[in-house]
Amino acid sequence: MIGTAGSAVADATTAVEHRAICALTDLTPERGAAALLDETINGEPHRTQIALVRVVGDTVFAVQQRDPVTGANVMARGLVGSRLVDGVEVPTLASPLHKQVYDLRTGECLDAAGKEPLPGEGGLRTWPVRVVDGVVEVGTPSVAPAAVATEGSAS
């Protein structure tokens, strides 16, 4: 959102910046692949391990590579599947270690398999993904500098 002259925007607007990761054809359907994502966290550059999962229909999901239960970076090796949630079939990823099942759309844990996540962990972090001209792009939040307007500024 761009502020108008004389107005104040109290909080910064978060935009999504998409970064090219790989070709869609680099991903095998119904399998995961690990990738590194450059993003900014708390104003600092950071390289995050993610798991890209291509499902039937060429939809691609991006979730954290780190298993919330063990802390191991293994989620790209998980089992891809689906489950009925409230009567809707959702794509899932099961941890390869203890078989917790996560909703690929939201990262929510659907089946904890009797295990608790590590402190500070919950479900899987997710990122928006789009495929443009056969290239998989992952979105990272970024604060758009032009989005912050102070009182009396014109934009």
Side-chain angles (χ1 to χ4, degrees), residues 6-68:
S7 69
V9 178
D11 58 339
T13 299
T14 301
V16 175
E17 179 180 328
H18 284 84
R19 299 173 191 265
I21 302 295
C22 64
L24 178 63
T25 55
D26 291 338
L27 302 174
T28 303
E30 300 299 310
R31 300 283 174 121
L36 290 174
L37 176 66
D38 291 323
E39 61 181 339
T40 302
I41 298 176
N42 297 327
E44 298 292 326
H46 189 75
R47 196 160 245 203
T48 304
Q49 288 193 38
I50 61 174
L52 294 173
V53 179
R54 178 179 172 188
V55 298
V56 172
D58 290 339
T59 300
V60 179
F61 296 93
V63 297
Q64 71 185 43
Q65 171 75 329
R66 180 180 159 95
D67 182 328

Side-chain angles (χ1 to χ4, degrees), residues 35-141:
L36 290 174
L37 176 66
D38 291 323
E39 61 181 339
T40 302
I41 298 176
N42 297 327
E44 298 292 326
H46 189 75
R47 196 160 245 203
T48 304
Q49 288 193 38
I50 61 174
L52 294 173
V53 179
R54 178 179 172 188
V55 298
V56 172
D58 290 339
T59 300
V60 179
F61 296 93
V63 297
Q64 71 185 43
Q65 171 75 329
R66 180 180 159 95
D67 182 328
V69 172
T70 66
N73 289 311
V74 296
M75 293 308 293
R77 296 290 193 189
L79 303 171
V80 179
S82 64
R83 282 207 175 169
L84 283 178
V85 176
D86 298 327
V88 177
E89 187 173 348
V90 300
T92 61
L93 181 66
S95 168
L97 298 177
H98 296 293
K99 309 302 183 240
Q100 291 77 29
V101 178
Y102 300 91
D103 184 334
L104 278 169
R105 303 167 309 159
T106 63
E108 176 187 1
C109 183
L110 300 175
D111 183 352
K115 301 286 185 185
E116 293 291 324
L118 294 170
E121 301 275 349
L124 297 174
R125 181 179 173 201
T126 63
W127 288 262
V129 178
R130 68 183 183 189
V131 179
V132 178
D133 296 330
V135 175
V136 176
E137 298 179 345
V138 176
T140 61

